[in-house]
Amino acid sequence: MTRRYDDQNIFAKIIRGEIPNSTVIETEHTLAFRDIQPQAPVHVLIIPKGPYVDHADFAANASEAELVDFARVTAQVCEAEGVISDGFRAISNAGVHGVQEVPHYHLHILGGRALGRMLARA
Ligand code: 5GP
């Protein structure tokens, strides 16, 4: 099952150029830009330009060119932001349980400080 894509979401508006962004890397298929409310010294969002709701939708339905480009841009962002040697976290929230705020697939790249455990223990 794939969730329905809403083309009025904020990242769709960023892709269409209706809302400005602080671009880190842009390619034919992928856009990487700085999060407007960074939660770490490095906080970059990587999004496909195609209309995918979440990671599962992108992984299931994107073309090979889109998938490869997204992966390569992710590596380039990590390199450019200098987070490879000390480490980073790549997170993608999905749906209600994942507390996804923007319903366009995005990968958060967080780094530049020790980030603590991934989830608080119950
Ligand atoms: P989510 O909770 O969906 O995984 O994360 C959405 C992220 O998008 C949040 O970290 C939030 O700060 C960021 N965000 C929301 N609106 C904008 C915007 O207009 N511009 C940018 N650059 N980031 C945004």
Side-chain angles (χ1 to χ4, degrees), residues 10 13 21 25 28 49 51 85 91 98 104:
I10 199 101
K13 292 179 180 178
N21 74 90
I25 295 175
E28 178 184 357
K49 292 183 177 177
S85 58
I91 300 174
H104 180 110

Side-chain angles (χ1 to χ4, degrees), residues 23-35:
T23 299
V24 177
I25 295 175
E26 180 169 13
T27 66
E28 178 184 357
H29 297 299
T30 309
L31 178 65
F33 56 99
R34 299 194 188 284
D35 196 291

Side-chain angles (χ1 to χ4, degrees), residues 10-11 14 19-21 33-37 39 43 45 93 99-102 106 108:
I10 199 101
F11 293 171
I14 285 175
I19 292 177
N21 74 90
F33 56 99
R34 299 194 188 284
D35 196 291
I36 204 166
Q37 288 190 298
Q39 295 183 42
H43 190 170
L45 301 171
N93 300 314
V99 195
Q100 180 180 10
E101 177 190 332
V102 181
H106 51 283
H108 298 254

Side-chain angles (χ1 to χ4, degrees), residues 8 29 34 36 52 56 70 76-77 80 95 101 105 109 111 118:
Q8 293 307 305
H29 297 299
R34 299 194 188 284
I36 204 166
Y52 303 105
F70 191 91
Q76 290 163 11
V77 166
E101 177 190 332
Y105 173 48
I109 299 294
M118 185 171 67

